[in-house]
């Protein structure tokens, strides 16, 4: 009796076809990975700074002092503040203002005969430890809500400091 041969010569062509398909797939994947790094798609945005800021509140003034943490560019940052001021007879007024941190000097906003002044102190090109922002009002400061927003042109804006009287 002769030996039985179960091999089929037609099955040998499958192996080279699968090999070519795998080589093409590996080449395409490798090209995509290299292209993503060359085009900068693999790079993330810089993280937002995390300054350490303390607030000191009295009815006469509100002071935000940078005590440490990350320095950040004042030219792409702003202070948004809502201040409720009132007089001794109970008349109050909410005053909102947005001030660029690189503005330097002072800024004033008035409403209903009441005024809020923002003094940027020594803030220059960068906000660093030792810088402070002072808010004063023509009447007693009753409530406030403040945010410092970092908004570079190549990234989404992010709140780097937020504080309120509530």
């Amino acid at each position: 009796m002769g030996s039985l041969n179960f091999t089929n010569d037609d099955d040998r062509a499958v192996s080279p076809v699968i090999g070519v398909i795998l080589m093409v797939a590996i080449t395409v994947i490798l090209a995509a990975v290299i292209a993503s790094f060359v085009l900068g798609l693999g790079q993330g945005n810089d993280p937002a700074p995390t300054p350490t800021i303390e607030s000191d509140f009295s009815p006469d003034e509100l002071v935000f002092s940078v005590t440490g943490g990350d320095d950040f560019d004042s030219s792409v940052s702003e202070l948004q503040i809502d201040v409720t001021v009132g007089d001794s007879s109970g008349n109050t007024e909410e005053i909102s203002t947005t001030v660029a941190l690189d503005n330097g000097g002072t800024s004033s906003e008035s409403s209903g005969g009441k005024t809020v002044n923002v003094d940027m102190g020594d803030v220059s090109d960068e906000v660093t430890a030792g810088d402070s922002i002072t808010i004063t009002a023509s009447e007693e400061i009753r409530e406030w809500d403040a945010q410092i927003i970092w908004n570079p042109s190549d990234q989404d804006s992010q709140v780097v400091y937020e504080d309120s009287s509530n």
Side-chain angles (χ1 to χ4, degrees):
M1 181 175 277
S3 66
L4 296 174
N5 186 0
F6 291 107
T7 61
N8 187 348
D9 290 338
D10 293 338
D11 289 341
R12 289 204 268 156
V14 173
S15 182
V17 171
I18 291 175
V20 169
I21 291 172
L22 287 174
M23 289 299 286
V24 168
I26 290 170
T27 304
V28 168
I29 292 170
L30 187 59
V33 169
I34 291 172
S36 70
F37 283 109
V38 169
L39 296 175
L41 300 176
Q43 298 174 348
N45 290 334
D46 292 333
T50 53
T52 304
I53 300 175
E54 294 180 2
S55 62
D56 184 25
F57 172 70
S58 71
D60 297 336
E61 71 179 7
L62 172 62
V63 179
F64 297 109
S65 301
V66 180
T67 59
D70 296 335
D71 298 345
F72 60 98
D73 187 359
S74 65
S75 67
V76 296
S77 304
E78 64 186 19
L79 169 70
Q80 292 181 352
I81 188 160
D82 300 321
V83 180
T84 302
V85 295
D87 57 23
S88 59
S89 62
N91 297 325
T92 61
E93 189 72 34
E94 184 174 323
I95 301 173
S96 299
T97 188
T98 300
V99 181
L101 292 187
D102 67 346
N103 188 24
T106 61
S107 175
S108 294
E109 188 73 35
S110 297
S111 179
K114 296 174 179 28
T115 304
V116 170
N117 300 307
V118 179
D119 182 358
M120 301 309 287
D122 294 332
V123 174
S124 60
D125 294 339
E126 277 204 331
V127 179
T128 61
D131 288 340
S132 64
I133 302 168
T134 304
I135 292 90
T136 57
S138 60
E139 306 287 340
E140 182 179 321
I141 298 173
R142 301 284 175 91
E143 294 179 4
W144 49 273
D145 184 24
Q147 293 182 331
I148 295 178
I149 299 173
W150 180 67
N151 190 14
S153 61
D154 61 343
Q155 293 182 219
D156 294 333
S157 65
Q158 298 183 33
V159 175
V160 296
Y161 177 75
E162 186 170 25
D163 203 358
S164 71
S165 57
N166 299 328

